[in-house]
Amino acid sequence: MIKTKQITKGAMVCAIYGALLFLNQQSALMIESSASWIFAFPVLIYTAMSGVKMGALVTVCMGLMTMFFGGFTTWFYSWTSLLIGFLYGIGVFKHFKNMTNFIFCFILSVLANLCIILLWSTLFGIDFYEDFHLVSQYIPFISLKVFTYLMIGMLGLLQALCIHLVALMICMRMHMDIVPLQPLSKIQSPRWVGVFSIVIWIGFFLIQNVIECPTGIVDFTQVIFFVDCTLLLYFGVVYFMSLCVKHQKKKWSFISIFGAFIPGLNMLWMLMGELDCLLQLRRE
């Protein structure tokens, strides 16, 4: 039997979601065009507190609100965000591991961005060639197909990171019963990742400059190369954050994360991530 308190909370989060829809319309669709993942949080928090059945009911209500009070483009951005928020909230309610929640969020975000891009390119004929031309000036070896794959993957990764980190912060501030965060000291940097990265970089160099291969193999190598760079950036961030904790410089923690997104400077992050994997620097 549905409790009155749950109904009241459900009405409240629906009102918050309605306010987001209103702000989106009044700001010339700024929310959906720049940070559509914000739509996920009302249903995420409510599902994490009230469970699957009530969360599903509120998700359906919010979806109907979008249909009645949102524009055509808002439907797709908000519906995908509602689905991601609902499933992430189930993970929090069921006490799944934080990394499991993040991986599911990442997969759903990639699929959502893929569907939206395919839909927009089909309906409105959106072409990514101008963006590709700009990127190719800095990364001349990248192909249009690889650029599209990486753009979808990076958009999904950034959206998943935003949802994951903000959701954890809100849950902790609300003193919700969640799985404790894993300490930095327990995040391992496997040596085999460092060895495998060297093999990938050597293979990438040979295929790009020495060996003539079919286009499919070249594209696949480029995707693997950029995925490996992203993984090394992650270990680089963990390494620099561990230094901040070790030397009690918590104010520098933001720079240890922000530096991984600065072109040129992030090469240092990749290098330290590689050295941490190979030499196990954090174990010294």
Side-chain angles (χ1 to χ4, degrees), residues 40 44 76-77 79-91 100-116 152-153 155-157 159-160 163:
L44 188 157
F76 302 97
Y77 286 107
W79 285 345
T80 53
S81 297
L82 288 176
L83 178 61
I84 293 172
F86 172 62
L87 295 178
Y88 193 101
I90 293 176
T100 302
N101 290 333
F102 172 73
I103 291 174
F104 274 115
C105 185
F106 170 66
I107 295 174
L108 291 172
S109 297
V110 169
L111 293 176
N113 282 286
L114 175 61
C115 292
I116 289 174
I152 295 173
L155 287 174
L157 177 62
Q159 178 173 305
I163 294 175

Side-chain angles (χ1 to χ4, degrees), residues 3-4 9 20 36 44 46 80 98 101 107 127-128 145 162-164 186 190 206-208 213 224 228 267 269:
K3 296 180 181 179
T4 305
K9 289 182 178 179
L20 289 175
S36 60
L44 188 157
Y46 182 77
T80 53
N98 292 317
N101 290 333
I107 295 174
D127 190 4
F128 301 103
K145 185 182 296 184
C162 291
I163 294 175
H164 180 64
K186 292 187 178 181
L206 293 177
I207 290 176
Q208 290 292 135
C213 295
I224 295 298
D228 179 68
M267 294 294 294
W269 265 245

Side-chain angles (χ1 to χ4, degrees), residues 21 23-35 70-71 73-74:
L21 289 176
L23 289 174
N24 181 59
Q25 295 294 328
Q26 295 301 312
S27 60
L29 308 181
M30 183 178 296
I31 294 179
E32 69 180 62
S33 60
S34 59
T73 58
T74 310

Side-chain angles (χ1 to χ4, degrees), residues 202-214 217-218 221:
I202 293 175
F204 173 78
F205 175 80
L206 293 177
I207 290 176
Q208 290 292 135
N209 301 282
V210 180
I211 305 174
E212 292 187 4
C213 295
I217 295 178
V218 175
T221 307

Side-chain angles (χ1 to χ4, degrees), residues 5-273:
K5 186 176 181 180
Q6 289 179 320
I7 296 176
T8 304
K9 289 182 178 179
M12 181 182 67
V13 294
C14 285
I16 294 174
Y17 178 75
L20 289 175
L21 289 176
F22 178 76
L23 289 174
N24 181 59
Q25 295 294 328
Q26 295 301 312
S27 60
L29 308 181
M30 183 178 296
I31 294 179
E32 69 180 62
S33 60
S34 59
S36 60
W37 46 271
I38 293 178
F39 290 125
F41 289 109
V43 68
L44 188 157
I45 300 302
Y46 182 77
T47 305
M49 293 189 301
S50 302
V52 181
K53 293 183 179 179
M54 291 301 300
L57 179 61
V58 168
T59 303
V60 172
C61 292
M62 291 180 178
L64 293 175
M65 289 175 62
T66 306
M67 182 177 293
F68 294 139
F69 303 112
F72 176 75
T73 58
T74 310
W75 294 356
F76 302 97
Y77 286 107
S78 61
W79 285 345
T80 53
S81 297
L82 288 176
L83 178 61
I84 293 172
F86 172 62
L87 295 178
Y88 193 101
I90 293 176
V92 176
F93 181 77
K94 297 289 186 179
H95 293 91
F96 293 163
K97 293 182 179 179
N98 292 317
M99 183 55 67
T100 302
N101 290 333
F102 172 73
I103 291 174
F104 274 115
C105 185
F106 170 66
I107 295 174
L108 291 172
S109 297
V110 169
L111 293 176
N113 282 286
L114 175 61
C115 292
I116 289 174
I117 287 176
L118 289 177
L119 184 66
W120 270 201
S121 60
T122 302
L123 294 179
F124 304 113
I126 295 177
D127 190 4
F128 301 103
Y129 186 76
E130 292 184 4
D131 297 328
F132 167 71
H133 180 69
L134 178 63
V135 173
S136 62
Q137 295 179 356
Y138 301 95
I139 312 177
F141 58 81
I142 194 172
S143 66
L144 178 59
K145 185 182 296 184
V146 173
F147 168 76
T148 305
Y149 294 154
L150 292 176
M151 183 181 67
I152 295 173
M154 288 303 297
L155 287 174
L157 177 62
L158 292 174
Q159 178 173 305
L161 278 173
C162 291
I163 294 175
H164 180 64
L165 295 177
V166 176
L168 288 177
M169 181 184 67
I170 294 176
C171 290
M172 287 188 292
R173 294 289 294 180
M174 295 180 66
H175 303 287
M176 296 174 59
D177 183 20
I178 63 173
V179 177
L181 296 177
Q182 186 179 16
L184 285 173
S185 58
K186 292 187 178 181
I187 298 178
Q188 299 180 354
S189 51
R191 183 173 279 111
W192 64 266
V193 172
V195 175
F196 197 59
S197 295
I198 293 177
V199 174
I200 291 175
W201 283 60
I202 293 175
F204 173 78
F205 175 80
L206 293 177
I207 290 176
Q208 290 292 135
N209 301 282
V210 180
I211 305 174
E212 292 187 4
C213 295
T215 305
I217 295 178
V218 175
D219 292 343
F220 177 76
T221 307
Q222 290 181 5
V223 172
I224 295 298
F225 171 75
F226 284 109
V227 170
D228 179 68
C229 290
T230 304
L231 184 61
L232 292 179
L233 280 174
Y234 166 73
F235 287 120
V237 169
V238 172
Y239 172 76
F240 282 111
M241 289 190 69
S242 299
L243 287 182
C244 294
V245 173
K246 182 179 178 180
H247 297 286
Q248 298 182 351
K249 300 290 185 180
K250 295 183 179 180
K251 294 182 179 179
W252 294 90
S253 299
F254 174 76
I255 297 179
S256 65
I257 299 175
F258 186 71
F261 296 92
I262 301 177
L265 183 62
N266 54 15
M267 294 294 294
L268 175 61
W269 265 245
M270 281 189 282
L271 175 62
M272 297 312 300

